[in-house]
Amino acid sequence: MIRSVLLLRSTGKWYYGRSGLRLSFNSVTACTTRTMHSNPLKQSQAYVNGSWIGARSGATFDVQNPANGAVLGAVPDMARDDVQLAIDAAYEAFYEPRWHNSTAKERAALLKNWHALMEKNRQEIASIMTAESGKPLVESLGEVAYGNSFVEWFAEEARRIYGEIVPSPVANRQIMMTRNPVGVAGLITPWNFPHAMITRKAAAAIAAGCTVVIKPAEDTPLTALALARLAEEAGFPKGVINVITSSRTHAAEIGQLLCGSDKVAAISFTGSTEVGKLLYRQCADGVKRIGLELGGNAPFIVFKSADMEKALTGAMNSKFRNCGQTCISANRFLIQDEVHDEFVAKLIERIRKLAIGDGSRDGVQIGPLINQAQLKKVDQFVQDAKDKGAKVHTGGKTLPELGPLYYEPTVVTDLRDNMLLYNEEVFGPVVSVVRFKTEAEALAIANGTRRGLAGYFFSNDLNQVFRVARQLETGMIGINEGLISATEAAFGGIKESGIGREGSRHGIDEYVYIKYLCYGNLQ
């Protein structure tokens, strides 16, 4: 979920940049020496109704660094009653005159304050993110810039939430439609982009005039709490932004409470399709507004007319960000027969040059997987393919000498439709290659899934570009491009990959409803 200006590969190194800026690893060395203990944004309590609080039970859970297993700190392990306090605070804040009657200009000013503080503290945020998610520091800095850009964007969009004046069919009537905030929004965010997934949701909701209860992933709560600390400093009224933390033990009951509460008007969730379906069902009783950004199974198609170097660069960028743990990572590489062997050989050559290790160290390009369950899943998928006749060209094993959660970047070919790698999202550093002969065959394979988030294809045949773009069944498509996310573009999928759109001007739509006003009997 990182847009194309954030992460590029050049001369064997990863670079972060925006608006033409490129930042090499040497430029971020100072940040790597900062410890988590000295980071002023590191918080150990949740943020509810303008106060920093613990769980009523006093329970906490540890946050660990996946690179080495070190405990970074402990945060409150909140349960239903704790979350109810946050919901009540957000509900009261929404109807409190200071917020309910706030102008778009006032909300925009608060978002601009928040954005400025995020920009000022970007290295501190990135340091926390790398420590708790394992992603390389240069990627964390990229995500901070990307996440910050949503706050900036929706600060500007707040003043463009326009209504409509409609010509009336009756002479003495005036028809008007306005867009109004829905109320309290419950935001449930994933671990893999702990900054950007919060700002993409929260900034849109706040711009619309909603209040929010944010439930970050249990693996990465520290980034969310750092953002709450900056929101407090930015001057948001108490109760407008609330961040609650919990372990997996209470995750299900908290999700059920947010979905079932009459005080919560909208739910926005980014995560697995299975959990998304559960939340969707739980929202049905209240006919609650819901936005879902769920799992993908992205095809990456290379046609024989493709520019080989661009396709290889696109493959590296799409596949290996965050160790392959992104929802729009290329999952199935469909390579046309005429260029299959050349593409695989050159891709393996590039992959073997990737530097693997602790993301806080200079030059590292691939960090660990997030937890043991994910490591087990990736290894299981690769072993399943091997057992069923696939060929592993490079990788295919864990790297215990680096740490307990490292998996070697892997290339597997000769995939068939009875293999897990063929049918399901691996969410790891594994390139799964399928050979095809014709365009029709490639499209049949690409569309033969219940997921439809993102897709990629490379071709220099203009007619083919338009044909395939029209027929590929995904909500987003990268055409001769492996990095597609952008603040200005609508992010979301079709089929079982979600409902609604985030980012762009359409991101506001998830948090407003249209009110029709008919003024009658006018003279």
Side-chain angles (χ1 to χ4, degrees), residues 14 57 96 177 253 321 378 481:
W14 293 98
S57 67
E96 207 274 336
M177 289 182 283
E253 67 183 52
R321 285 171 299 129
V378 171
E481 177 57 68

Side-chain angles (χ1 to χ4, degrees), residues 400-423:
E401 65 274 17
L402 296 179
L405 297 177
Y406 289 90
Y407 197 86
E408 192 173 11
T410 300
V411 175
V412 183
T413 63
D414 302 329
L415 260 67
R416 292 190 297 275
D417 61 7
N418 64 336
M419 300 175 183
L420 292 171
L421 282 176
Y422 187 100
N423 294 292

